[in-house]
Amino acid sequence: KAGVTQTPRYLIKTRGQQVTLSCSPISGHRSVSWYQQTPGQGLQFLFEYFSETQRNKGNFPGRFSGRQFSNSRSEMNVSTLELGDSALYLCASSLWQGRTDTQYFGPGTRLTVL
Amino acid sequence: AQTVTQSQPEMSVQEAETVTLSCTYDTSESDYYLFWYKQPPSRQMILVIRQEAYKQQNATENRFSVNFQKAAKSFSLKISDSQLGDAAMYFCAYRKTDSGGGADGLTFGKGTHLIIQP
């Protein structure tokens, strides 16, 4: 079974631009979560989607948004990019059979903001 | 809010020896899950082992085992017979049980960089 895929793998943007990252979960997985990883703040939870609905959201500004499609694929968008948004963005999918499912991660998208 | 602390920024071990990585956490919840993930230089986050808080038995996965002390809020990872491929950043993570109303995402520690000496 194919793992979680993320596109693109690398991205370079300039301040003020917006960016969209894509994540395809493991086949059959309906929950997708997004995380930001930076050297200073470590790994931080952005949001989780299940059945096209945002279930949970971390403590990030409204510039960070996401959505999930009917095929469970998810996108996250960052508007008005700031230098501090440079990070590795990780997507994780889980089956979500109730209680807590194990999250399986994709390879990440490395975003550099100049 | 829950927190996860990994007090060892870096650990080094000789190949074939055993190493233990420490993790403590703070939560007011009684029902939760704990995880260890490894992140090699490729940056791919890989699940190592998972522990359900309601289970007293410590989880094991081949050469990897945990020492889960719920009262002490401690969750250490033991790697036996260390191999060169075990070299990576290891992250301890916590997530409260999702009772249907949703649960916050994983809360991660800062990580421990494990070096394997040949």
Side-chain angles (χ1 to χ4, degrees):
Chain A
K1 193 181 269 192
V4 178
T5 58
Q6 292 186 243
T7 56
R9 293 293 310 278
Y10 301 92
L11 210 45
I12 299 175
K13 292 286 187 178
T14 56
R15 276 184 302 173
Q17 288 187 310
Q18 77 164 20
V19 67
T20 299
L21 312 182
S22 180
C23 171
S24 293
I26 292 170
S27 178
H29 284 196
R30 297 170 63 194
S31 174
V32 173
S33 298
W34 289 88
Y35 295 84
Q36 181 196 65
Q37 185 175 24
T38 61
Q41 298 299 315
L43 283 147
Q44 294 183 285
F45 170 68
L46 279 155
F47 27 66
E48 178 189 12
Y49 286 88
F50 176 77
S51 289
E52 303 177 65
T53 301
Q54 187 180 89
R55 297 181 72 226
N56 299 291
K57 189 178 192 306
N59 189 23
F60 277 82
R63 300 185 297 107
F64 291 82
S65 62
R67 59 178 176 169
Q68 186 180 35
F69 301 94
S70 59
N71 62 358
S72 295
R73 189 178 69 86
S74 177
E75 289 181 346
M76 69 162 280
N77 184 276
V78 188
S79 62
T80 319
L81 284 165
E82 300 177 359
L83 295 178
D85 297 333
S86 293
L88 180 68
Y89 289 88
L90 293 166
C91 167
S93 76
S94 67
L95 201 54
W96 202 73
Q97 293 176 315
R99 291 183 64 80
T100 293
D101 268 338
T102 300
Q103 297 188 357
Y104 296 92
F105 285 81
T109 294
R110 168 73 66 184
L111 171 64
T112 302
V113 182
L114 302 177
Chain B
Q2 58 277 354
T3 58
V4 176
T5 302
Q6 293 178 250
S7 58
Q8 306 150 317
E10 187 172 279
M11 293 280 286
S12 182
V13 65
Q14 290 289 128
E15 195 176 1
E17 293 190 346
T18 295
V19 64
T20 299
L21 308 184
S22 301
C23 172
T24 58
Y25 59 95
D26 188 25
T27 182
S28 58
E29 304 286 341
S30 59
D31 197 6
Y32 50 86
Y33 288 72
L34 296 163
F35 305 85
W36 279 99
Y37 284 89
K38 67 180 277 189
Q39 188 177 43
S42 67
R43 310 311 296 271
Q44 173 84 51
M45 194 76 78
I46 301 164
L47 175 70
V48 175
I49 202 165
R50 150 186 160 138
Q51 174 79 44
E52 292 134 90
Y54 69 87
K55 289 187 176 179
Q56 292 187 339
Q57 187 173 8
N58 289 324
T60 61
E61 286 288 344
N62 301 314
R63 297 182 295 107
F64 299 87
S65 62
V66 298
N67 183 3
F68 173 49
Q69 301 289 329
K70 191 172 184 179
K73 296 181 180 174
S74 170
F75 183 60
S76 61
L77 174 70
K78 185 172 83 170
I79 306 174
S80 304
D81 186 25
S82 298
Q83 300 175 1
L84 294 177
D86 294 333
M89 280 293 286
Y90 284 80
F91 292 95
C92 178
Y94 160 101
R95 189 176 190 190
K96 78 171 187 178
T97 300
D98 184 349
S99 303
D104 294 337
L106 291 164
T107 299
F108 287 91
K110 293 293 187 185
T112 296
H113 181 210
L114 180 63
I115 299 167
I116 310 294
Q117 306 276 9

